[in-house]
Structure formats: C-alpha cells, structure tokens
Amino acid sequence: TIYMPLTNQSVILENSAAAAPKSSMDHLGIMTIEDEGPVREIIVSMLESAGHYVLPASTAREGLELYRHGWNDIDLVLLDLMMPGMDGSECFRRLREINPCARVLIVSGFSANNEACKLLDAGAIGFLQKPFEKDVLLHAVAEAVEKELSAK
C-alpha cells in the first residue's frame, strides 16, 4: 500500500512526449438503454467508476432520441433486448438507421436466443448476459470496442 497526500493541484508534464499515449479505451462515451432502473443505475456506476462518460436511457424511444442528437459522441451502445414498448431488436434497427456504423453490445437476462443471434448477424458486436460483475462488463466493453477498431 502506498499513501500519498491528497491535493487539488494538477500535475503538468514538462515534456508532453513523456506522457503515455491515450488508449482507445480511455473515457469512452457509452449509452445504456435499460428499462430497469436499479440495473441501469448499477451499469452507469460501474462504467463511470472506470472513467467512461455514460448516457443512460430508460426506454428505447428515449435512447433513440438521445442517440439522434449525440451519436458522434457515443462510442458504444449497451442495448437491453427485453423492454416494454419498443423492444431491443426494433431499437437496434432504428439506431442503425441513424448511424449505419453504430456499435451496439446486446445485453439480456436471457441466454443468447434466436433474437440475439439475429442481431449479432445484423452487426451487433457482442452479447453480454445479465447478471454480470463489473470486471465482466468492462471486459465486454473493451472487447467490443477493440473488435471494431481492429476491423477497420
């Protein structure tokens, strides 16, 4: 254990070349579309604690509206499959109408069923089964983003 004094002062590097290069995983913009409030709050907390900016949406319609206005700042969408009103499949289709290159990670409490497989075939970049721990979520996010970056 290392104890260091707490300060509000920022550190300025004298030689900017000495700074470590920014990883593609630093401070991602992630939208989560999840209808269950407690689950959404936990996902937001997990992602924010890892330094990501998170834009939560409680319905598919709200998520689409937020995505429509800010998709350039969203690196990844975590999309629940089972939601009242518009389900995840329809939401995925509409996200792709807004941005054909939208990176979407499917999240569901059910195993990868036929619907999830169809979305993966249609371009979703992964599937994450609930419940999951923070490490599993962060690994899935990293894997999804790295998979897309390596494909380019």
Side-chain angles (χ1 to χ4, degrees), residues 52-128:
H52 302 302
Y53 170 75
V54 185
L55 189 60
S58 60
T59 67
R61 292 192 192 290
E62 178 186 10
L64 287 169
E65 190 63 25
L66 291 169
Y67 192 80
R68 184 174 289 111
H69 294 291
W71 66 269
N72 283 325
D73 297 321
I74 298 171
D75 299 300
L76 180 66
V77 177
L78 300 181
L79 178 61
D80 187 17
L81 267 185
M82 304 298 289
M83 294 183 287
M86 184 188 309
D87 67 7
S89 296
E90 177 66 13
C91 185
F92 176 82
R93 187 183 66 72
R94 291 188 185 189
L95 286 167
R96 283 296 180 93
E97 286 175 359
I98 297 167
N99 174 12
C101 298
R103 289 186 266 192
V104 180
L105 180 63
I106 303 301
V107 180
S108 179
F110 300 99
S111 61
N113 59 18
N114 190 34
E115 201 56 40
C117 291
K118 285 181 188 177
L119 293 178
L120 291 168
D121 289 343
I125 56 177
F127 176 84
L128 182 60

